[in-house]
Every structure is written in structure tokens, then in C-alpha cells.
């Protein structure tokens, strides 16, 4: 029976791959990968020989229709991103929606997602939170920050290392220098690090020590 499997992959440490994820990837007719070169290393490590096809933000609109046809013909297809769970700030939503619209079974396996460990180890309230992902780079950024300034729940952002200083500067402008924040980078990797404090303190830290690697920002909400 045809099915789309959304398969999380490690965000750094290859040992975070689950037994079930390996089994699904080995048994699938096709693996859709965000970057076949990156995913190729993972598949080689676990001796997975399933054929891969590129599926990323630049071709997902065009490729989705042909993938739906393959699923309707009875194939089982697995979707993976470079790291973490597909569709969380990565390709996957369009294909999942198309499957739902065409009554094709979709199953998302549990597994690695960068924001969960970053949120849990931040020390900030995690009973209620919102996931923002990447802020708009230019258009809409100011509007989004003004809206989030009134948010009382903990807020989760993804950011690239070369934009972190700018984002922390924006936080000072819109949320205040005393707002609590936690910045985690290189989660599950050798140089994993979490810096906690006020926005000003964390900003000063990274001014002196420019960040490297994948970054998750956890920002405390506005106090009632």
C-alpha cells in the first residue's frame, strides 16, 4: 500500500538515528532528499542503498505532481531533510498537503528536531511556546518583531551564524535589553554550546566570540 514517510534524520550526531527510521529508509522504493550529497553520507553510514532523488525548496513545486503519481501507482516514498524533521523550516509541507488532498497515507516518524533540546535546556518556560523559525530577512521583519514584542509565551527562532548579531540587536530594539534569551548552537555535535542570559549579555558574548554552526534561539515572552 502506498505511503509517504516523513523521516527525521540526526541534527548532528549520527547515533541519534532511530532503528525504525533506518528500517523505513531501507524498505522504501524511493528516498526524497533535500541534498543528496549530504544525505548520501548518512545512507552510506547505515548501509542504505535505496535510490535517492533531490527534493528541495527550489524544485518542490515542480516535483510534487510527479511524486504524487508515483505514490498513486503504489510506491512507498520516504522524505528526509538535511537534518531534523522534514517540513519544520524544511521542505515537506507541500508534499504532505498534496498527499492529504489525494487520500494518500502519510506517516511522520518521531525523531530529531533541533528546537526541542534547545527549548528544554534553555531554562525558560516551556509549558507554552510558539515556533517562529527564521525571521523574514527584509520585507515584513519589522512588522513581525513588533507583533512578537507583545507575545507572552516563549518564542523559538532559527538563525544562521552570520545573522545572529543582527537578530540579537533587533531583540534589544523591540523586546528590551533585559529580556531573557538562550542561544544553542551545534546541538548534539562536538562543540555544542548554550549561552543564557539577558539579550544584552548574550549579544555581548557573541560580539566577542563570533558564532559558528546551526543556531536555535529561545526568547522569553513578555512579562504580564
Amino acid at each position: 500500500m502506498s505511503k509517504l514517510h516523513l523521516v527525521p534524520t540526526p541534527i548532528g550526531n549520527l547515533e541519534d538515528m532511530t532503528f525504525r527510521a533506518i528500517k523505513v529508509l531501507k524498505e522504501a522504493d524511493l528516498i526524497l532528499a533535500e541534498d543528496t550529497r549530504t544525505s548520501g553520507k548518512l545512507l552510506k553510514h547505515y548501509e542504505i542503498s535505496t535510490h535517492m532523488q533531490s527534493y528541495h525548496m527550489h524544485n518542490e513545486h515542480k516535483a510534487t505532481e510527479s511524486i504524487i503519481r508515483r505514490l498513486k501507482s503504489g510506491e512507498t516514498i520516504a522524505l528526509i531533510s538535511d537534518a531534523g524533521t522534514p517540513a519544520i523550516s524544511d521542505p515537506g509541507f507541500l508534499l504532505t498537503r498534496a498527499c492529504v488532498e489525494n487520500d494518500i497515507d502519510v506517516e511522520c516518524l518521531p525523531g530529531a528536531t533541533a528546537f526541542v533540546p534547545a527549548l528544554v535546556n534553555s531554562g525558560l518556560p516551556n509549558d507554552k511556546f510558539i515556533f517562529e523559525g527564521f525571521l523574514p530577512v527584509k520585507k515584513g521583519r519589522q512588522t513581525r518583531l513588533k507583533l512578537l514584542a507583545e507575545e507572552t509565551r516563549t518564542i523559538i527562532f532559527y538563525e544562521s551564524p552570520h545573522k545572529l548579531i543582527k537578530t540579537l540587536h533587533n531583540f534589544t530594539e523591540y523586546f528590551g535589553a533585559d529580556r531573557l534569551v538562550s542561544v544553542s548552537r551545534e546541538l548534539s555535535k562536538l562543540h555544542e554550546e548554550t549561552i543564557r542570559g539577558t539579550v544584552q549579555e548574550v549579544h555581548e558574548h557573541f560580539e566577542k566570540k563570533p558564532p559558528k554552526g546551526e543556531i536555535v534561539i529561545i526568547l522569553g515572552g513578555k512579562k504580564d
Side-chain angles (χ1 to χ4, degrees), residues 7-162:
V7 182
T9 53
I11 59 174
N13 193 322
L14 291 181
E15 292 181 2
D16 291 336
M17 194 71 171
T18 68
F19 292 119
R20 185 179 170 203
I22 295 168
K23 182 175 185 289
V24 167
L25 293 180
K26 285 185 174 181
E27 294 178 353
D29 296 303
L30 174 68
I31 296 174
L32 301 174
E34 187 177 4
D35 186 326
T36 54
R37 294 166 299 179
T38 300
S39 298
K41 298 172 186 175
L42 176 71
L43 300 193
K44 183 178 179 182
H45 182 82
Y46 285 105
E47 300 179 343
I48 299 168
S49 58
T50 309
H51 178 67
M52 271 194 300
Q53 177 180 314
S54 181
Y55 185 81
H56 47 74
M57 63 180 292
H58 301 296
N59 74 353
E60 60 179 331
H61 285 85
K62 188 175 181 180
T64 295
E65 188 176 336
S66 63
I67 294 166
I68 291 297
R69 284 199 299 269
R70 293 186 66 163
L71 285 162
K72 283 184 172 181
S73 72
E75 292 190 32
T76 297
I77 295 177
L79 173 64
I80 59 176
S81 59
D82 289 346
T85 301
I88 303 296
S89 291
D90 280 322
F93 164 69
L94 289 178
L95 182 56
T96 300
R97 182 178 64 181
C99 285
V100 171
E101 291 171 347
N102 285 274
D103 294 320
I104 296 167
D105 198 9
V106 178
E107 182 175 39
C108 182
L109 278 63
T113 301
F115 78 77
V116 175
L119 173 64
V120 173
N121 74 24
S122 70
L124 293 167
N126 55 31
D127 55 330
K128 293 183 178 66
F129 58 89
I130 63 167
F131 177 75
E132 278 293 309
F134 290 95
L135 282 165
V137 177
K138 292 181 181 178
K139 187 179 180 180
R141 186 181 181 91
Q142 199 174 46
T143 302
R144 196 72 204 153
L145 287 165
K146 284 181 180 178
L147 180 67
L148 292 172
E150 300 303 314
E151 178 58 64
T152 58
R153 294 168 292 183
T154 299
I155 311 169
I156 301 166
F157 301 92
Y158 284 166
E159 192 53 278
S160 59
H162 65 279

